[in-house]
DNA sequence: CTTGTGTCCTGTAGGC
DNA sequence: TGCCTACAGGACACAA
């Protein structure tokens, strides 16, 4: 569930807590969360390294270390990062990085689908091929309506499915794709290549806007409470969701009598207002 | 290449 | 009340 706004929020909050800190040692508590190289290799490879900065690409968080190493983290559905005191226990903890200030960076992941990779900056392994092939972020200048129109041209798949394709544009998941399509007034099952120019224009704008709004409100914490801020507490974009998680409820647009519908699109749930979205 | 489907993983919502 | 199944989600493997 962490999508671009959630990962960016985590990055911003973690940054002052870990930048400049040295990793004294690391413990991988569950080996299969290491995507590359392996648990011992990751533990050994980060020991003694200093955290230079925190970066992000799409939904990947990149912990830049000295000696040209990157610790790449993908939170997938339920991954979580927080800085704790070294004695503190963390539920579903999968890895811990002890820092030189008595704190520790903990990686928790109940589903155990999240992954960590320790790589040399100039040679990312095949395990991270998906990351290398990612398209631009909708909030970056290299993404615009003309680019999106080109990527959707001739495609027969549902526009919702293509918004989830990280190779077209990265960082968007189920929540923000639903919200962007609502803002653009486009139904999720519409065939991407059949959208009109003005529709794609609106969609490109909506994608950028909804991601920026998500960041502004520190991400979306759903009722399951899985996404929590690294410094504790919840995001607040869930209060502003137009359609996600609101199936069966009235459309939020003033004066609209529509009821938010839930429909499977390409194997995933999609929500939309049948009145506002054509 | 494109598209749709199944798999991973496990806590939990919902059904009976 | 309690058990059981289905589902959620992102990325990727795979089939057609």
């Amino acid at each position: 569930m962490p999508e671009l706004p959630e990962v960016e929020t985590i990055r911003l909050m973690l940054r002052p807590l870990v930048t400049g800190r040295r990793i004294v040692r690391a413990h991988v508590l569950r080996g299969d969360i290491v995507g590359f190289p392996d648990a011992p290799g990751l533990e050994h490879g980060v020991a003694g390294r200093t955290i230079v900065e925190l970066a992000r690409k799409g939904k990947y968080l990149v912990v830049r270390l000295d000696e040209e190493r990157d610790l790449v983290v993908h939170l997938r559905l339920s991954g979580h990062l927080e800085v704790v005191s070294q004695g503190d226990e963390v539920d579903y903890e999968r890895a811990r990085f002890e820092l030189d200030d008595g704190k520790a960076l903990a990686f928790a992941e109940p589903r155990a689908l999240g992954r960590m990779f320790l790589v040399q900056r100039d040679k990312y392994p095949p395990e991270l091929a998906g990351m290398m092939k990612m398209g631009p972020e909708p909030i970056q200048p290299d993404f615009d309506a003309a680019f999106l129109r080109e990527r959707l041209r001739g495609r027969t798949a549902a526009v919702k499915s293509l918004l989830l394709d990280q190779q077209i544009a990265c960082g968007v998941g189920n929540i923000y794709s639903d919200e962007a399509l609502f803002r653009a007034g486009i139904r999720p099952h519409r065939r991407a290549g059949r959208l009109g120019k003005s529709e794609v224009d609106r969609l490109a704008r909506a994608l950028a806007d909804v991601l920026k709004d998500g960041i502004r409100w520190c991400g979306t914490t759903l009722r399951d409470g899985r996404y929590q801020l690294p410094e504790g507490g919840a995001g607040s974009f869930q209060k502003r969701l137009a359609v996600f998680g609101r199936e069966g409820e009235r459309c939020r647009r003033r004066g609209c009598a529509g009821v938010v519908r839930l429909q499977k699109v390409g194997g995933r749930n999609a929500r939309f207002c049948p009145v506002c979205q054509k």
Side-chain angles (χ1 to χ4, degrees), chain A residues 199-257:
Chain A
E199 289 180 312
V200 180
D201 286 350
R202 294 203 306 269
L203 183 54
R205 170 64 63 91
L207 282 165
D209 286 350
V210 80
L211 292 175
K212 286 176 186 166
D213 284 350
I215 294 168
R216 180 172 303 128
W217 300 103
C218 297
T220 303
T221 300
L222 300 173
R223 274 187 297 275
D224 59 29
R226 279 205 297 248
Y227 165 67
Q228 295 287 323
L229 307 182
E231 54 191 45
S236 53
F237 195 63
Q238 65 279 4
K239 297 171 190 163
R240 295 164 189 277
L241 295 174
V243 289
F244 189 89
R246 298 194 65 249
E247 49 270 29
E249 296 176 38
R250 282 279 295 278
C251 176
R252 278 239 169 106
R253 185 172 62 86
R254 206 163 71 82
C256 179

Side-chain angles (χ1 to χ4, degrees), chain A residues 87-121:
Chain A
D88 291 355
E89 290 193 14
V90 174
D91 289 343
Y92 305 108
E93 187 169 352
R94 308 305 188 194
R96 171 169 295 226
F97 302 86
E98 292 176 14
L99 306 177
D100 62 358
D101 61 354
K103 304 276 191 180
L105 174 64
F107 173 55
E109 163 58 305
R111 291 282 193 287
L113 287 172
R115 290 288 179 271
M116 296 189 134
F117 309 82
L118 179 66
V119 299
Q120 213 62 39
R121 198 158 303 154

Side-chain angles (χ1 to χ4, degrees), chain A residues 59 62 115 125 175 195 208 277-278:
Chain A
K59 303 173 193 174
V62 182
R115 290 288 179 271
I175 297 174
L195 297 177
Q277 294 170 260
K278 311 292 180 198

Side-chain angles (χ1 to χ4, degrees), chain A residues 5-204:
Chain A
E6 287 74 33
V7 179
E8 178 64 5
T9 301
I10 290 167
R11 185 183 77 86
L12 293 172
M13 290 191 173
L14 238 34
R15 183 163 60 178
L17 302 178
V18 302
T19 304
R21 298 268 65 85
R22 194 167 55 85
I23 299 172
V24 177
R25 93 187 103 202
H27 301 281
V28 174
L29 298 121
R30 180 160 166 165
D32 57 5
I33 58 108
V34 178
F36 185 88
D38 55 21
L42 185 137
E43 286 178 343
H44 186 258
V46 299
R49 301 279 57 77
T50 295
I51 297 173
V52 175
E53 68 171 292
L54 288 189
R56 183 188 55 71
K57 172 74 178 175
K59 303 173 193 174
Y60 288 87
L61 183 74
V62 182
V63 182
R64 296 207 186 283
L65 308 173
D66 61 355
E67 298 199 344
E68 298 288 302
R69 288 177 207 179
D70 286 344
L71 177 64
V72 179
V73 183
H74 198 301
L75 301 171
R76 288 284 188 101
L77 309 185
S78 51
H80 175 71
L81 289 166
E82 65 182 307
V83 171
V84 298
S85 296
Q86 286 193 3
D88 291 355
E89 290 193 14
V90 174
D91 289 343
Y92 305 108
E93 187 169 352
R94 308 305 188 194
R96 171 169 295 226
F97 302 86
E98 292 176 14
L99 306 177
D100 62 358
D101 61 354
K103 304 276 191 180
L105 174 64
F107 173 55
E109 163 58 305
R111 291 282 193 287
L113 287 172
R115 290 288 179 271
M116 296 189 134
F117 309 82
L118 179 66
V119 299
Q120 213 62 39
R121 198 158 303 154
D122 56 354
K123 45 178 182 183
Y124 272 40
E127 283 81 354
L128 280 171
M131 183 186 186
M132 296 295 91
K133 285 190 285 191
M134 284 196 306
E137 302 183 348
I139 56 173
Q140 294 298 324
D142 52 350
F143 179 94
D144 60 17
F147 171 85
L148 185 60
R149 203 176 317 124
E150 175 61 26
R151 299 311 306 267
L152 301 187
R153 196 161 56 96
R155 301 289 298 260
T156 58
V159 59
K160 160 87 173 178
S161 301
L162 295 191
L163 292 186
L164 296 174
D165 183 347
Q166 304 298 297
Q167 294 186 41
I168 291 178
C170 72
V172 179
N174 223 14
I175 297 174
Y176 294 92
S177 58
D178 276 1
E179 294 298 307
L181 287 165
F182 172 81
R183 293 188 185 199
I186 299 167
R187 296 201 186 195
H189 61 260
R190 291 275 303 282
R191 287 178 185 270
R194 300 257 174 89
L195 297 177
K197 182 174 184 298
S198 64
E199 289 180 312
V200 180
D201 286 350
R202 294 203 306 269
L203 183 54

